[in-house]
Amino acid sequence: MGARTDGTDASAALRNRLPGLSISTSRTPAGRGAAQEPVSPTARLVKDVYIVVSFGFGAPLDLPVFRDGIQNQLARYRRFRSIQVMSKEGTLQWVVGTEVNVDSHIIFPTLDPAAVAADPDKAVEDYVASLSTLPMDHTRPAWEFHLLDIPTSEATFTAAARVHHSFGDGVSLITLFIAATRSAADPTRLPAMLPPPKRKGAIYALQRRPSPTAGFLAFLVWVCSYLVLAWHTVVDVWSFVATIVFIRDPPTLFMHASNSETRRTRFVHRSLSLDDIKFLKNVMNCTVNDVLVGVTSAALSQYYFRNSGDTRTSKLCVRSILIVNLRPTDSLQAGAFIFNRMFKHVSIGFSNVSGPTEQVVFCGHPVKFIAPSVYGPPQALFVHYQSYGSAMKVILAVDEAVFPDYIQLLDDFSESLRLIKGAASSLSTTSIKND
């Protein structure tokens, strides 16, 4: 690992640059010599949505090494060398093959020294939150790295990457990030990943038709299982259609006020024990995602009842939208209406992405944590989970006007996991399978 290189000309130029977004960059003109292709319907749907990923690093910043890593590992990818332009026909087009000046995509902001000295964690948090209010320069490829060379309680320095959502979803961008990393234990190989989740138990087993000798009762149970499945399918389809057309969640303290304007989004995160989550998965014979949904439900319940004073649950409806990665794009123009209506009619966004199971090195620096999030959707609260090593990060993107006590909300996630684990620990240990 290289030493600090503050004295080099390149480092000084980058460090002295303010986080302005009007920096010019050389690029291939949108005419001759530049390949063009239509912007997909999916990319057009997220025109106002941006992904923000905070990376904590465990070694001092070596700026030339980090810059070279961005140049060689990310800037060479096709989409990271593309910009969106409006064609003569009035349609959005990708201009592919843009010449990228990496120095224009690496921003080294100057923070208030007094704020940094008083609370470095809060200073970094405040700056990352400010990204949600700053426009992005779309005359160059819409991605950038903001380097905050400030030691915090979790990292030696922090890099906040901001990428327009049209470049990819959370899964594809994290996959790209992982492809650009190497195992800290063995730099010659890619990092190890979690195996695909498997649902176990009788409820997930294939219901085979009983043999003729099994009797009429067994045959009746088999038929009824499919009738129940058909009924739940009809109910789910009806709920989906009704949500698109007219059903929306009633007003709760999780939602924007009807007359609220776009406000700053704050990104906060907390590390949970992945071992505790796996313990609950094994006790309950479910998946990690099932456990995370349960922890989220418990945390939001604690927050709601503490802040509202309401004790009634029968009429409380708080629904979440979980974005599923569907690669085929056929007929998505019909899907734009569905997408927008669903987003506007539910209260919370939810996402869960798996990361490496071991420590990795990115651009020559060991990674301490990964915290992806998003701003731009209409929800006042978006919950992300990101696994890395032995930890599971819960990341909240909150409208700070709706959640002024966002730290308390973050505490509720830690407390909910503790309470659920305590209840599960009282179960018989014979029902626990380690894997």
Side-chain angles (χ1 to χ4, degrees):
M1 193 61 59
R4 289 182 183 267
T5 54
D6 297 13
T8 65
D9 294 339
S11 297
L14 282 174
R15 288 175 180 275
N16 293 330
R17 200 177 75 205
L18 294 177
L21 299 180
S22 60
I23 300 169
S24 62
T25 178
S26 58
R27 61 182 177 88
T28 304
R32 291 187 304 172
Q36 296 191 39
E37 61 185 41
V39 174
S40 71
T42 305
R44 294 199 297 270
L45 288 177
V46 292
K47 62 183 179 67
D48 297 321
V49 181
Y50 295 83
I51 295 174
V52 176
V53 187
S54 294
F55 300 99
F57 294 96
L61 172 61
D62 189 328
L63 194 52
V65 171
F66 193 91
R67 180 201 178 280
D68 290 344
I70 297 297
Q71 174 76 61
N72 298 326
Q73 299 177 19
L74 288 183
R76 63 188 178 89
Y77 285 101
R78 185 167 179 265
R79 188 56 72 220
F80 278 66
R81 294 182 291 108
S82 303
I83 62 173
Q84 291 184 19
V85 298
M86 190 68 70
S87 69
K88 294 180 180 179
E89 294 76 22
T91 60
L92 279 175
Q93 300 281 322
W94 283 112
V95 177
V96 184
T98 299
E99 182 181 347
V100 174
N101 179 0
V102 173
D103 292 340
S104 296
H105 295 264
I106 297 179
I107 298 171
F108 210 104
T110 301
L111 275 62
D112 181 8
V116 172
D119 191 342
D121 290 60
K122 187 64 162 51
V124 170
E125 178 190 308
D126 288 343
Y127 179 80
V128 177
S130 73
L131 297 180
S132 65
T133 65
L134 297 176
M136 180 172 274
D137 185 357
H138 287 271
T139 63
R140 65 188 186 215
W143 60 272
E144 56 197 20
F145 277 82
H146 298 252
L147 304 185
L148 302 165
D149 195 7
I150 300 171
T152 62
S153 60
E154 287 192 273
T156 304
F157 80 96
T158 303
R162 181 167 64 155
V163 184
H164 193 267
H165 209 317
S166 62
F167 280 49
D169 56 22
V171 173
S172 61
L173 290 177
I174 289 296
T175 301
L176 175 62
F177 162 74
I178 294 172
T181 65
R182 290 296 181 267
S183 166
D186 182 3
T188 63
R189 65 172 174 83
L190 290 171
M193 297 293 294
L194 287 170
K198 295 181 179 179
R199 294 184 178 271
K200 303 176 182 179
I203 191 174
Y204 303 113
L206 178 63
Q207 301 296 320
R208 298 184 180 277
R209 182 173 179 174
S211 63
T213 58
F216 175 75
L217 183 59
F219 178 78
L220 183 62
V221 170
W222 177 75
V223 171
C224 288
S225 67
Y226 280 93
L227 291 176
V228 171
L229 176 63
W231 168 252
H232 284 293
T233 301
V234 170
V235 172
D236 288 342
V237 171
W238 161 249
S239 299
F240 179 76
V241 173
T243 297
I244 295 170
V245 177
F246 62 91
I247 292 181
R248 65 171 65 221
D249 289 358
T252 65
L253 53 79
F254 296 117
M255 304 172 69
H256 289 288
S258 58
N259 60 347
S260 66
E261 299 177 356
T262 301
R263 295 184 173 93
R264 184 167 68 168
T265 299
R266 186 168 290 274
F267 310 100
V268 292
H269 50 84
R270 179 74 54 81
S271 292
L272 306 178
S273 170
L274 187 56
D275 288 338
D276 288 348
I277 293 170
K278 288 181 177 179
F279 168 79
L280 292 174
K281 172 184 75 74
N282 295 326
V283 169
M284 302 173 70
N285 199 18
C286 60
T287 67
V288 167
N289 196 66
D290 296 330
V291 175
L292 297 180
V293 171
V295 169
T296 302
S297 177
L300 297 182
S301 296
Q302 288 190 62
Y303 182 87
Y304 177 83
F305 292 118
R306 181 179 60 251
N307 286 273
S308 68
D310 190 4
T311 58
R312 299 171 300 172
T313 60
S314 58
K315 295 183 179 180
L316 180 62
C317 179
V318 177
R319 295 179 299 167
S320 170
I321 184 169
L322 175 62
I323 306 301
V324 179
N325 183 31
L326 298 176
R327 285 292 178 256
T329 58
D330 297 340
S331 302
L332 280 180
Q333 294 89 340
F337 172 78
I338 297 174
F339 181 88
N340 289 325
R341 297 286 292 187
M342 285 293 293
F343 253 110
K344 291 178 180 178
H345 288 183
V346 299
S347 303
I348 298 169
F350 185 90
S351 176
N352 176 24
V353 180
S354 297
T357 60
E358 59 178 337
Q359 188 179 53
V360 299
V361 174
F362 176 68
C363 295
H365 296 74
V367 177
K368 297 287 288 185
F369 69 81
I370 310 169
S373 196
V374 66
Y375 72 89
Q379 280 71 32
L381 172 64
F382 223 104
V383 181
H384 288 79
Y385 285 99
Q386 173 70 58
S387 66
Y388 176 50
S390 61
M392 176 69 76
K393 273 286 186 187
V394 54
I395 308 104
L396 307 182
V398 301
D399 181 333
E400 56 186 11
V402 179
F403 297 94
D405 54 346
Y406 53 87
I407 296 299
Q408 180 63 63
L409 176 58
L410 203 57
D411 292 339
D412 288 331
F413 281 81
S414 301
E415 179 65 8
S416 294
L417 178 60
R418 186 188 68 81
L419 292 174
I420 295 174
K421 182 188 176 185
S425 298
S426 63
L427 299 176
S428 172
T429 56
T430 59
S431 64
I432 302 175
K433 298 179 181 178
N434 295 319
D435 62 56

